[in-house]
Amino acid sequence: MNERYDFKAIEEKWRRRWEESDLYSTRELPDLPKRYVLVMFPYPSGPAHIGHVANYNLGDVLARYLRRKGFNVLHPMGWDAFGLPAENAAIRSGVHPAKYTWDNIALLKEGLQRLGYSYDWGRELATCSPDYYRWTQWLFLRFLEKGLAYKAEGWANWCPSCRTVLANEQVIAGHCERCDTLVEQKALSQWFLRITAYAERLLEDMEELKGWPESVLTMQRNWIGRSEGCEVVFRIKDRDIEIPIFTTRPDTLWGVTFFLLAPEHPLVDELTRGTPYAEEVARFRERLRGVSNIERTAMDTEKDGVFTGAYAVNPVNGEEVPVWTANFVLMEYGTGAVMAVPAHDQRDFEFARKFGLPIRVVIQPPEGTLRAQEMTEAYVDPGVMVGCGDFDGMDSEEGKLHAVPDLLEERGWGKRTVNYRLRDWLISRQRYWGVPIPVVYCPECGLVPVPDEDLPVLLPEDVEFEFEGPSPLERSQEFRRTVCPRCEGEAERETDTMDTFVDSSWYYIRYASPHCEEAAFDHEAVRYWLPVDQYIGGIEHAIMHLLYSRFFTKVLKDLGLVDFSEPFTNLLCQGMVVMGGAKMSKSKGNIITPEQFIDTYGADTLRLFILFLGPPEADKEWSDSGIEGAHRFLNRAWRLVYRYLDVLTLKTQPVPRDSEALKRLSHLTHRTIRKVTEDIERFAFNTAIAAIMEFTNGLYREMEAAPDAFNTYEGHEALRALVLLLAPFAPFIAEELWEELGGEYSVHAQPWPEYDPQLARAERITLVLQVNGKVRERMEVDADVSPEAMEEIALASRRVREHTAGKEIAKVVVVPGKLVNVVVR
RNA sequence: GCCGGAGUGGCGGAACAGGUAGACGCGCUGGUCUCAAAAACCAGUGGGGGCAACCCCGUGCCGGUUCGAGUCCGGCCUCCGGCACCA
């Protein structure tokens, strides 16, 4: 054995050996229990990043551990390979998106392979490959058949820089998620997936997601934004128009003093056309045009609006109230029309005060009496209903939940409804590098889906990339011109491609049978592997990717294609690697590449160090000097095995079976196995590594003190345990040391070591003696000391007596095996 | 504003069920080896006081419960993340 730890040679050697022996290839083994460990696949934007390492480390440790616990583990890797950066690169530098993408995949794959992750590379997939997107298209057609995909005219979020539409979820504070450009509203005909049809189930089924972080569930719950209330129909005075509104406060219907419409509401035009109000309404809309939807509806934007000249009739009391249009009313939520109750809604209150509209109190608080003129803000809490006809004196909660809704339903004025904040998922993108939406427009037959047998609709390779103007697919006559599958006449293809979140909404199922050519996936394989037992990824996907994937899974279940309704049983959201508390980014110039550290210290050191930085869910502060500590530790482990092998060649004195050294050695070994096992089970990889370090330090000390004790069963066991425990974290060095110890190939196929609880238990413990809760002495005693003996020891202790002298002992608290607290007065 | 999460040495972090605060690592200080340095190894390292034995203080702040609180409860402060005129 080489005295020096030559990580370069070792890592190269084993990378090759593992590949040659197909160590990580997986197949269905029905007799073995399975585990599916998946880390969110990356977008191949270039070489591996330190964030990738932090991510993929977690999945790899878990996969390696579970294999050795006897599970058949699926641990695949692939590429989320469609998307804008590739196309932007094409526009900037003329490289074809396909080449850009495949080159980056090669780079990233090389990086991941250097790190020694135990993926079954035979299952590699890329969403941009026709083998894959053919099935994305196939699934889209199933959605279309079920009415879950539809095309609609509407206002869409438009990013002028990316020149494409964005889903609501991709708009962050009014700006494009990718390029930070201010998002505009544009009227377009777009494809949507009807995720709102699944709002209720997406909400309900969260009950099942016991293995998800509460924070993610909360975020999804808020995003879906379920609210219960009533739809109430108002009539427009002197017109044959009825307009429903949504309210969560039917108990305040008697407090309505005006009525509001969203500025885009079609009724605004209808009501003002040809009236003296038309002009002012037009000016108001002009004023809003320069303002983005987001700014318009920001909390701190001042209330604004104009009167339409029309009056609405309140069904509950027949009152006529003025109809206004206001900036803060959203067309997309509810019905785009709102009843205004200024006394009990803060927004309406502000609006009323600004425009001098009446305020009428209909809910009185339990204490005190509200007077409209004196109010400085709306009263939104429950109270007693007043001025509400037959309901006077009723508790407002009772009115809101039962009495008023009952009245509305009896009289046919309205009904109970549920509203969601969630909108349908806009999937159209006016870009080239994505999955073509497989439909055709025929002048005769209209919109015709591409038949399954004609899939995939291939992306044409030969297209032009321009910064300005229509997308490459729109420009490509060759692509557009086609034949109607129904009438065989001339027709045109859809030129929109799909949002890349569609690709990633089902990739985890494809991994079960990545090469299946007859279907999107093989049912037997899916039944065996799915759902994903442990999903790992960034918190930034808390809403979009995870919600879309859940939606897809439910649709697939309803289509009878899968038999589970939630795709990810357990979810771990890992933190970012940061520097000086800030996210690493190209613009800050603080990007750390794994490459430089692998070259200097080796992949094992890098893996170990990042895991050691802190718990998975927390953000981790990078430190250049810290990594040397990890490297030092691996060197120590290496030299320990080297010295041990040396000790074995010496003539050693026989060691008595009951020697203290052997006892200490066994205890050290079994205690460490227990600690590391428990820590891995709860994802505390940082403390698991700390325990292995302590073990190493302990073995050094023992080897110094009693080298003879190592040429024994206990000595062998200790060294083997060290290597076996280290293997999931630092797979290369562990494999090499395992070979040196004469273990059979591979260390990664060895059963996980078991511990003996008897041996793991300490024989001696530190007994803590306290007086009034303050530690006054510690002493070593036998672990099985009785509580009575503990009390005796405490009361006999010189230091305890010093602190209790002259005082009355009120009570003695004994915590068996731990401490004694003597309480004095 | 609302909803999550977090505040512990010079630093990353540990303390998993209310019971030794600071494991492990980094950094720093001293030592061994060396002509010297590096590496390695050994010892020390929360703050204050004391010649010492020891004593006092200490987990964002204020208060509470308890024999005992980093951990539980109430009230604040700060930071991070999400949502944000959703009727």
Side-chain angles (χ1 to χ4, degrees):
Chain A
M1 182 182 177
N2 197 334
E3 189 175 356
R4 215 184 101 245
Y5 164 42
D6 182 359
F7 61 85
K8 258 194 184 114
I10 292 168
E11 293 183 2
E12 243 161 70
K13 167 182 165 187
W14 291 110
R15 195 160 32 240
R16 200 170 327 114
R17 199 77 69 83
W18 292 336
E19 203 182 318
E20 283 164 8
S21 66
D22 242 357
L23 190 59
Y24 305 120
S25 86
T26 336
R27 60 200 166 86
E28 290 86 79
L29 300 168
D31 295 338
L32 279 185
K34 68 91 187 179
R35 284 288 185 275
Y36 185 176
V37 177
L38 184 65
V39 186
M40 292 176 187
F41 66 168
Y43 175 77
S45 56
H49 177 267
I50 211 79
H52 291 129
V53 185
N55 246 272
Y56 297 123
N57 272 345
L58 303 176
D60 196 53
V61 170
L62 195 62
R64 288 178 183 279
Y65 170 74
L66 290 171
R67 278 189 206 106
R68 294 178 53 196
K69 282 296 244 186
F71 293 101
N72 189 24
V73 175
L74 179 59
H75 189 42
M77 180 46 66
W79 320 105
D80 187 14
F82 272 133
L84 273 178
E87 198 164 338
N88 290 338
I91 294 165
R92 260 199 321 275
S93 54
V95 187
H96 195 280
K99 179 175 164 41
Y100 172 91
T101 302
W102 289 108
D103 285 355
N104 276 338
I105 287 175
L107 267 175
L108 184 49
K109 184 175 178 181
E110 161 75 22
L112 296 183
Q113 284 182 325
R114 282 195 75 185
L115 282 154
Y117 294 132
S118 60
Y119 301 124
D120 178 359
W121 284 106
R123 292 174 186 264
E124 181 180 357
L125 60 79
T127 57
C128 68
S129 136
D131 301 341
Y132 183 87
Y133 72 68
R134 169 187 183 171
W135 299 110
T136 308
Q137 291 173 337
W138 185 87
L139 289 169
F140 173 87
L141 293 175
R142 303 291 82 76
F143 276 63
L144 191 60
E145 281 169 358
K146 284 275 174 185
L148 292 170
Y150 65 94
K151 201 167 192 196
E153 285 285 339
W155 292 93
N157 303 305
W158 174 263
C159 172
S161 165
C162 297
R163 290 181 303 122
T164 188
V165 302
L166 303 170
N168 289 319
E169 293 88 329
Q170 288 164 319
V171 180
I172 308 297
H175 294 257
C176 172
E177 171 189 61
R178 286 212 109 98
C179 67
D180 220 34
T181 306
L182 192 69
V183 171
E184 299 171 357
Q185 296 299 304
K186 198 169 174 173
L188 286 166
S189 177
Q190 303 283 324
W191 284 98
F192 291 86
L193 296 187
R194 209 180 293 280
I195 192 171
T196 52
Y198 283 74
E200 198 58 45
R201 275 169 68 190
L202 286 166
L203 210 51
E204 272 172 17
D205 289 356
M206 280 184 212
E207 296 290 315
E208 286 176 38
L209 302 177
K210 303 266 184 269
W212 282 40
E214 198 47 50
S215 59
V216 174
L217 295 176
T218 305
M219 278 193 241
Q220 293 209 353
R221 219 170 269 129
N222 291 343
W223 189 261
I224 294 169
R226 181 182 202 272
S227 71
E228 280 181 33
C230 288
E231 202 170 275
V232 185
V233 180
F234 280 61
R235 194 166 47 76
I236 301 295
K237 185 192 172 195
D238 300 333
R239 299 270 204 130
D240 192 19
I241 298 172
E242 292 197 325
I243 161 104
I245 56 98
F246 174 74
T247 179
T248 55
R249 292 295 302 273
D251 54 316
T252 64
L253 261 165
W254 286 264
V256 173
T257 54
F258 51 101
F259 191 95
L260 296 169
L261 290 171
E264 317 82 313
H265 203 292
L267 210 55
V268 175
D269 263 335
E270 207 180 322
L271 293 179
T272 57
R273 195 177 303 123
T275 76
Y277 299 94
E279 204 182 319
E280 209 182 333
V281 166
R283 268 206 304 275
F284 172 63
R285 282 178 162 170
E286 195 52 42
R287 213 158 53 225
L288 294 181
R289 198 174 306 278
V291 187
S292 81
N293 212 13
I294 312 294
E295 272 178 75
R296 195 189 97 197
T297 58
M299 250 288 254
D300 45 11
T301 303
E302 207 188 323
K303 303 283 175 290
D304 197 3
V306 293
F307 180 43
T308 63
Y311 288 84
V313 182
N314 186 343
V316 297
N317 55 13
E319 274 185 21
E320 295 169 4
V321 294
V323 177
W324 287 59
T325 173
N327 60 344
F328 65 92
V329 179
L330 305 170
M331 190 60 217
E332 310 88 71
Y333 186 77
T335 60
V338 177
M339 69 180 207
V341 186
H344 306 294
D345 181 285
Q346 186 58 25
R347 298 155 298 181
D348 300 346
F349 181 84
E350 287 167 29
F351 194 82
R353 275 287 151 88
K354 176 161 177 186
F355 293 103
L357 292 159
I359 296 172
R360 187 196 300 156
V361 174
V362 291
I363 307 291
Q364 284 294 354
E367 274 153 42
T369 306
L370 289 174
R371 252 180 290 250
Q373 310 89 300
E374 292 160 9
M375 291 172 78
T376 54
E377 58 178 9
Y379 177 76
V380 298
D381 295 321
V384 177
M385 296 173 71
V386 295
C388 300
D390 298 345
F391 297 95
D392 274 12
M394 182 180 277
D395 174 66
S396 69
E397 285 295 297
E398 171 65 20
K400 170 175 118 178
L401 296 172
H402 309 292
V404 181
D406 286 347
L407 172 82
L408 294 171
E409 286 176 351
E410 268 165 41
R411 303 286 174 89
W413 293 336
K415 57 174 199 251
R416 289 173 166 88
T417 50
V418 176
N419 239 298
Y420 300 92
R421 210 190 74 109
L422 183 72
R423 313 277 148 78
D424 276 340
W425 173 14
L426 193 160
I427 60 158
S428 281
R429 296 293 180 273
Q430 291 70 43
R431 299 299 298 229
Y432 165 75
W433 194 233
V435 182
I437 293 175
V439 299
V440 161
Y441 299 100
C442 170
E444 296 300 318
C445 316
L447 192 157
V448 183
V450 173
D452 290 355
E453 57 274 21
D454 293 349
L455 297 180
V457 174
L458 284 171
L459 269 184
E461 293 274 310
D462 186 21
V463 291
E464 284 168 46
F465 299 96
E466 302 279 343
F467 186 73
E468 298 287 327
S471 83
L473 290 186
E474 276 180 83
R475 284 167 201 274
S476 170
Q477 285 305 315
E478 208 183 315
F479 177 76
R480 289 177 71 164
R481 206 172 296 153
T482 187
V483 167
C484 171
R486 203 163 287 166
C487 71
E488 296 188 0
E490 275 191 27
E492 284 217 4
R493 286 195 190 282
E494 168 67 66
T495 56
D496 281 356
T497 52
M498 294 184 215
D499 179 7
T500 55
F501 277 110
V502 179
D503 309 329
S504 55
S505 291
W506 73 282
Y507 78 109
Y508 49 89
I509 310 178
R510 181 71 182 171
Y511 277 135
S513 54
H515 309 298
C516 183
E517 288 180 14
E518 301 77 41
F521 35 83
D522 175 83
H523 293 276
E524 281 309 304
V526 170
R527 213 189 318 268
Y528 180 75
W529 289 115
L530 274 286
V532 175
D533 295 284
Q534 182 66 56
Y535 199 32
I536 299 171
I539 188 77
E540 66 273 19
H541 293 110
I543 297 170
M544 285 182 275
H545 166 59
L546 292 169
L547 194 64
Y548 295 154
S549 295
R550 295 183 58 219
F551 165 51
F552 254 66
T553 297
K554 290 177 197 307
V555 174
L556 294 182
K557 176 153 197 221
D558 290 351
L559 289 167
L561 294 170
V562 301
D563 57 9
F564 52 95
S565 53
E566 284 291 341
F568 314 121
T569 310
N570 296 290
L571 175 69
L572 175 68
C573 287
Q574 92 285 17
M576 292 180 300
V577 178
V578 297
M579 250 185 127
K583 199 172 167 175
M584 292 187 195
S585 71
K586 276 183 191 154
S587 56
K588 290 196 189 80
N590 60 355
I591 295 272
I592 306 258
T593 68
E595 211 67 359
Q596 59 194 100
F597 291 99
I598 295 176
D599 288 342
T600 319
Y601 303 105
D604 278 338
T605 297
L606 182 63
R607 289 174 55 124
L608 197 77
F609 174 61
I610 292 180
L611 286 167
F612 186 62
L613 277 175
E617 322 82 47
D619 283 350
K620 285 158 278 277
E621 181 69 35
W622 177 266
S623 128
D624 277 354
S625 56
I627 195 167
E628 294 197 30
H631 193 60
R632 221 172 282 163
F633 162 66
L634 289 181
N635 268 301
R636 272 169 74 78
W638 180 270
R639 283 195 312 269
L640 189 68
V641 173
Y642 180 82
R643 278 179 59 180
Y644 163 73
L645 293 175
D646 208 38
V647 163
L648 298 190
T649 63
L650 298 172
K651 285 214 169 59
T652 54
Q653 299 293 317
V655 180
R657 292 294 333 138
D658 60 349
S659 93
E660 284 302 313
L662 288 190
K663 278 193 199 160
R664 281 198 309 269
L665 217 46
S666 289
H667 171 58
L668 204 55
T669 304
H670 287 263
R671 188 182 70 184
T672 305
I673 297 171
R674 183 178 65 190
K675 172 77 177 152
V676 173
T677 307
E678 288 172 354
D679 282 358
I680 292 179
E681 294 276 354
R682 62 187 180 103
F683 303 132
F685 302 136
N686 53 333
T687 52
I689 292 167
I692 301 174
M693 288 174 169
E694 277 184 84
F695 187 33
T696 308
N697 294 343
L699 292 180
Y700 256 95
R701 220 167 291 134
E702 291 298 327
M703 217 178 270
E704 200 70 47
D708 291 351
F710 278 82
N711 198 359
T712 56
Y713 171 79
E714 285 81 355
H716 285 44
E717 187 188 37
L719 269 291
R720 287 167 66 97
L722 173 66
V723 173
L724 289 169
L725 293 175
L726 191 58
F729 305 101
F732 294 104
I733 191 176
E735 190 78 284
E736 181 72 15
L737 291 176
W738 185 246
E739 189 181 59
E740 292 291 351
L741 289 174
E744 88 183 58
Y745 180 78
S746 153
V747 71
H748 303 295
Q750 300 305 310
W752 188 251
E754 302 270 347
Y755 62 87
D756 178 337
Q758 280 307 313
L759 294 172
R761 195 174 153 271
E763 287 197 342
R764 306 275 293 171
I765 54 150
T766 305
L767 180 62
V768 175
L769 305 181
Q770 297 181 332
V771 177
N772 283 355
K774 279 183 200 262
V775 178
R776 293 303 176 188
E777 189 165 23
R778 297 158 221 252
M779 50 173 70
E780 289 275 302
V781 298
D782 278 349
D784 47 16
V785 62
S786 72
E788 296 74 27
M790 284 171 65
E791 182 167 345
E792 246 171 72
I793 292 167
L795 295 175
S797 148
R798 185 177 57 84
R799 309 257 323 110
V800 169
R801 290 216 312 267
E802 275 167 24
H803 285 272
T804 54
K807 291 170 185 155
E808 182 198 343
I809 294 179
K811 132 173 167 185
V812 180
V813 181
V814 178
V815 182
K818 281 227 164 90
L819 66 71
V820 181
N821 186 15
V822 181
V823 185
V824 295
R825 266 199 289 263

